[in-house]
Amino acid sequence: MCEERVKHILLIFVFLFVFESSVYSQQAILFLERGTVKLMTPDNVTKIIREDFAKVSLKSGTRVHTGKDTSVKIKVRGKNQIIDLSSSAFFQLGRITKKLSSISLFEGKAKFKIRGKRTKKKKFLVRTVGAILGVKGTDFVVVTSATTTNLLTLSGVVTMAPSSMPDVEIEVLVNEVSSVERDTPPTEPVTVTPEVMKEIVNSDSPDAFENVEFGEELDANEVRQDNKDKKEKEEQQKEEEQKEEENEEKVPAEKSEEDSEKSPEDGVEPE
């Protein structure tokens, strides 16, 4: 009787483990709005989906290749993070954790909506063939190829650096564009008109940035020095804030000690 109960409990634990592993391995949901999409799973299983409004779970490591006249929406499970893939895009879902989501865009165009509480640390990473983009909470558009990565920030701030020079990182603000050629520094961010922004957002082509006039290529050493100065300034500011907090806590404590040391004779008796 006791052995049967132990076996029963073990079976329950095995079932729960398998169920939990299955749920957590499904890191995102893909919605095919129109067109055709090809999925390649980490265990080398290939699926071709042509049914409009189809819904498919994605595991980390799954590669997604969209066809012509195709629109795909990918939602990261448990997070307010949505990726819109256009036609002829090649994408891979990376590692998804509580603190950080990571994806790769090898080719094509994608629009990203990363919501939630903004933090100082990056919570979403986009890797292309030639660049790394970091996000804290924002909307942005990326178009990439084997040699070039173009970025438009729609809201918030996006960081951008060449894959071969991750320390040459710049910030691209709202309504700004920047571009990275493989193994070269980014271009200086420049503001674009609402008309150009609309054209980039609405385009279904990898040539969405063809009418954009990008800034000049930045000097890698100057960017490094700027980032170093900025980091030192932030650290100094943080130390000053900590000292202010310590002083604010110290003053009430000293006052409390002074009050406790006073004798009854020190006070004035009311008449």
Side-chain angles (χ1 to χ4, degrees):
M1 184 73 177
C2 186
E3 288 182 3
E4 289 181 3
R5 189 175 179 184
V6 170
K7 287 180 181 179
H8 183 66
I9 292 171
L10 286 172
L11 284 171
I12 291 172
F13 273 113
V14 169
F15 172 78
L16 289 174
F17 175 78
V18 172
F19 176 76
E20 187 176 2
S21 300
S22 174
V23 169
Y24 281 97
S25 66
Q26 298 170 3
Q27 301 285 10
I29 302 292
L30 179 147
F31 301 92
L32 177 60
E33 296 179 332
R34 70 172 190 275
T36 305
V37 65
K38 182 180 180 182
L39 304 180
M40 291 152 279
T41 66
D43 45 357
N44 295 321
V45 175
T46 300
K47 293 180 182 179
I48 296 177
I49 303 169
R50 296 187 176 90
E51 184 183 350
D52 289 355
F53 308 114
K55 179 179 174 183
V56 183
S57 294
L58 299 181
K59 296 180 181 180
S60 290
T62 300
R63 289 170 289 170
V64 179
H65 199 172
T66 60
K68 292 181 180 179
D69 300 320
T70 297
S71 177
V72 165
K73 194 178 292 289
I74 296 173
K75 186 182 186 307
V76 178
R77 188 182 291 275
K79 298 185 180 185
N80 200 350
Q81 300 175 347
I82 297 173
I83 306 150
D84 291 315
L85 295 180
S86 297
S87 301
S88 305
F90 192 18
F91 164 97
Q92 184 174 30
L93 185 67
R95 191 162 178 258
I96 309 295
T97 66
K98 259 188 176 182
K99 295 182 178 179
L100 182 66
S101 301
S102 177
I103 68 98
S104 296
L105 183 66
F106 304 112
E107 188 177 5
K109 179 192 171 190
K111 181 183 176 184
F112 299 82
K113 293 181 182 179
I114 311 303
R115 295 287 189 265
K117 186 179 179 182
R118 288 186 184 176
T119 59
K120 291 183 179 180
K121 292 184 178 180
K122 296 165 189 172
K123 59 184 179 183
F124 195 94
L125 283 181
V126 180
R127 298 181 185 275
T128 69
V129 175
I132 304 170
L133 291 81
V135 185
K136 298 172 185 177
T138 183
D139 293 4
F140 61 102
V141 177
V142 177
V143 173
T144 188
S145 66
T147 57
T148 309
T149 299
N150 298 326
L151 166 68
L152 165 66
T153 302
L154 300 172
S155 68
V157 181
V158 181
T159 61
M160 188 179 196
S163 301
S164 57
M165 296 180 279
D167 58 335
V168 184
E169 183 181 81
I170 64 167
E171 289 186 342
V172 183
L173 308 181
V174 181
N175 302 344
E176 289 184 344
V177 294
S178 181
S179 181
V180 169
E181 293 285 340
R182 193 170 183 178
D183 298 326
T184 62
T187 62
E188 184 176 2
V190 294
T191 304
V192 293
T193 64
E195 291 76 21
V196 172
M197 286 180 61
K198 187 176 179 181
E199 184 179 340
I200 293 171
V201 172
N202 294 335
S203 174
D204 188 44
S205 167
D207 300 323
F209 284 78
E210 63 181 350
N211 294 326
V212 173
E213 292 186 14
F214 290 100
E216 295 292 322
E217 183 182 300
L218 293 167
D219 181 271
N221 290 327
E222 288 182 4
V223 174
R224 289 189 182 102
Q225 187 61 49
D226 288 344
N227 290 340
K228 183 181 177 182
D229 293 343
K230 184 180 177 182
K231 187 177 180 181
E232 289 176 354
K233 188 177 179 181
E234 288 175 350
E235 288 176 352
Q236 185 179 356
Q237 186 178 355
K238 189 176 179 181
E239 287 177 5
E240 289 174 357
E241 288 174 355
Q242 286 178 346
K243 285 180 181 178
E244 286 180 7
E245 288 178 5
E246 288 173 2
N247 290 334
E248 286 175 2
E249 291 174 359
K250 191 176 179 182
V251 171
E254 290 176 351
K255 188 177 179 183
S256 177
E257 287 176 7
E258 289 175 4
D259 292 342
S260 63
E261 288 174 359
K262 283 184 180 180
S263 62
E265 288 76 15
D266 293 334
V268 179
E269 293 292 335
E271 294 182 2

